[in-house]
Amino acid sequence: MICTSSLIPLLPYDVLCLVFKQAATNDRKEALKLVTVCKLVQHWVEQILYSVVSLYRETTCRAFLRTIETSRTKSRAFFATHVKSLCISYDIYDDRTVRIISACRGVTSLTFWVIPTPWPTSIVQTQKKITAALNALRPRKLSVLLPSIIGSPYPHFHLSFFENITHLSIVNKWEDWTMWWGFEALPCLTYLSFDLRVGPRLLHDKAGYTIALALHTILSGCDHIRVCILLLIFDPSPTFTAAKITNYMPMSKVDPRLVFMSDSEPFLDREAHSTREACIWRMAEEAVDIQIPEGDTRVLAV
């Protein structure tokens, strides 16, 4: 696989690099073809191909780990440098997860959707190793089902793992996150999102009061948060839900940073790095800009 003038136009290498990287970014299938053009193009395009690694099955996990540990063309430094977004959603109870996280220590966007379960006694040491590997990362965007990420009943936001987080999406049920504290310990946090799965029945009064109090407490203690989203999922009446929660707010005026959004397609992309997630953040920020002067609260459709 050698580059020749018949394969590569006589253009500056930096221009060629931009062209091939943009093509790879726009179309992953096309990117897989481009790596066969020549070694130089392969070098450029693989940086794009490996920038986002999604591990939703154990088979994919094993294949990716095999690439990390046996590749003759990519060193460990390649994965540490070029893997920027990592998505993990499979049974993590083995040391493969530890080895993958340790190799991808340059991750800036992390999606960690692992259902929290009691750690079996036989794998407590593996859990500790996963926690240690994660604590070496410094992601900026995090979409997570806590507390599976740290193997503790409550998230420890003072850990160094959280110190660079700017965007935090928590997909736990409301009964979990309304009991948590310590969000003020996240120094860089500016965008915060909570999922609220309502279901076919309307939100009952006790739930509305608990959620309102939790949101008020978090926002009152975190002046650095610019946007706080309550994402209503499987909700037959999102307007009713928003009204019930705002009515229970301790203050007469709802914090304008709080944005209610209704997601009618919750199974679409919600990974921390995804275009859809970025769109949700952008819509919410625009809503805050409107709510501040108007003092209005509305429900946005995603």
Side-chain angles (χ1 to χ4, degrees):
M1 191 163 54
I2 302 173
C3 290
T4 67
S5 58
S6 62
L7 294 174
I8 300 297
L10 294 177
L11 292 173
Y13 280 128
D14 55 345
V15 175
L16 286 173
C17 180
L18 289 174
V19 170
F20 280 106
K21 282 189 173 183
Q22 188 61 52
T25 301
N26 293 342
D27 190 336
R28 184 175 180 85
K29 290 183 178 179
E30 186 64 26
L32 294 173
K33 297 177 183 177
L34 291 175
V35 296
T36 64
V37 172
C38 71
K39 288 185 178 181
L40 180 59
V41 174
Q42 178 185 21
H43 172 73
W44 292 334
V45 172
E46 282 188 335
Q47 294 176 21
I48 302 300
L49 286 174
Y50 284 94
S51 64
V52 177
V53 174
S54 300
L55 306 176
Y56 298 128
R57 300 178 181 85
E58 288 197 41
T59 52
T60 313
C61 165
R62 288 194 292 270
F64 180 56
L65 183 61
R66 185 166 56 250
T67 300
I68 292 174
E69 297 184 338
T70 64
S71 176
R72 295 180 179 180
T73 59
K74 289 177 283 293
S75 67
R76 284 299 188 97
F78 175 90
F79 299 98
T81 302
H82 295 296
V83 177
K84 296 301 182 183
S85 300
L86 180 63
C87 309
I88 294 177
S89 182
Y90 60 90
D91 184 354
I92 62 172
Y93 302 138
D94 59 59
D95 68 345
R96 287 193 294 269
T97 303
V98 177
R99 287 145 64 190
I100 288 173
I101 294 172
S102 299
C104 302
R105 58 184 181 274
V107 163
T108 58
S109 294
L110 177 64
T111 302
F112 205 89
W113 295 336
V114 180
I115 297 176
T117 57
W119 292 89
T121 304
S122 60
I123 59 168
V124 169
Q125 290 303 315
T126 300
Q127 177 264 323
K128 291 181 178 179
K129 290 178 181 178
I130 291 175
T131 301
L134 286 168
N135 211 35
L137 302 183
R138 295 296 181 273
R140 293 195 292 272
K141 295 182 179 180
L142 176 64
S143 180
V144 66
L145 184 63
L146 291 166
S148 60
I149 199 167
I150 52 175
S152 169
Y154 296 95
H156 298 297
F157 291 128
H158 65 276
L159 293 175
S160 54
F161 168 81
F162 293 102
E163 66 184 22
N164 290 344
I165 297 293
T166 59
H167 295 65
L168 175 60
S169 297
I170 294 175
V171 302
N172 290 67
K173 57 186 180 180
W174 68 265
E175 291 90 344
D176 292 339
W177 55 260
T178 53
M179 299 297 292
W180 297 342
W181 62 89
F183 290 92
E184 67 279 0
L186 303 173
C188 297
L189 184 65
T190 50
Y191 295 83
L192 177 62
S193 174
F194 297 105
D195 279 13
L196 174 56
R197 288 180 284 277
V198 179
R201 297 181 180 180
L202 297 178
L203 193 71
H204 56 81
D205 290 343
K206 183 178 180 181
Y209 172 78
T210 303
I211 293 168
L213 183 60
L215 292 172
H216 172 74
T217 301
I218 292 168
L219 288 171
S220 297
C222 301
D223 292 337
H224 52 287
I225 291 179
R226 295 173 55 188
V227 174
C228 179
I229 299 173
L230 189 62
L231 193 62
L232 309 179
I233 298 174
F234 306 121
D235 191 345
S237 183
T239 303
F240 173 86
T241 301
K244 181 178 284 288
I245 292 172
T246 54
N247 287 338
Y248 279 117
M249 287 288 179
M251 303 293 289
S252 57
K253 184 178 180 181
V254 178
D255 193 309
R257 296 172 294 168
L258 177 61
V259 179
F260 293 90
M261 303 184 77
S262 177
D263 191 352
S264 59
E265 298 181 286
F267 297 111
L268 294 181
D269 295 346
R270 283 288 311 281
E271 292 88 348
H273 71 279
S274 68
T275 301
R276 188 167 186 263
E277 188 79 346
C279 180
I280 290 174
W281 292 124
R282 185 172 60 254
M283 289 174 61
E285 187 169 32
E286 292 172 354
V288 169
D289 292 338
I290 295 173
Q291 289 178 173
I292 288 178
E294 295 185 2
D296 186 24
T297 300
R298 63 192 70 185
V299 180
L300 303 180
V302 176

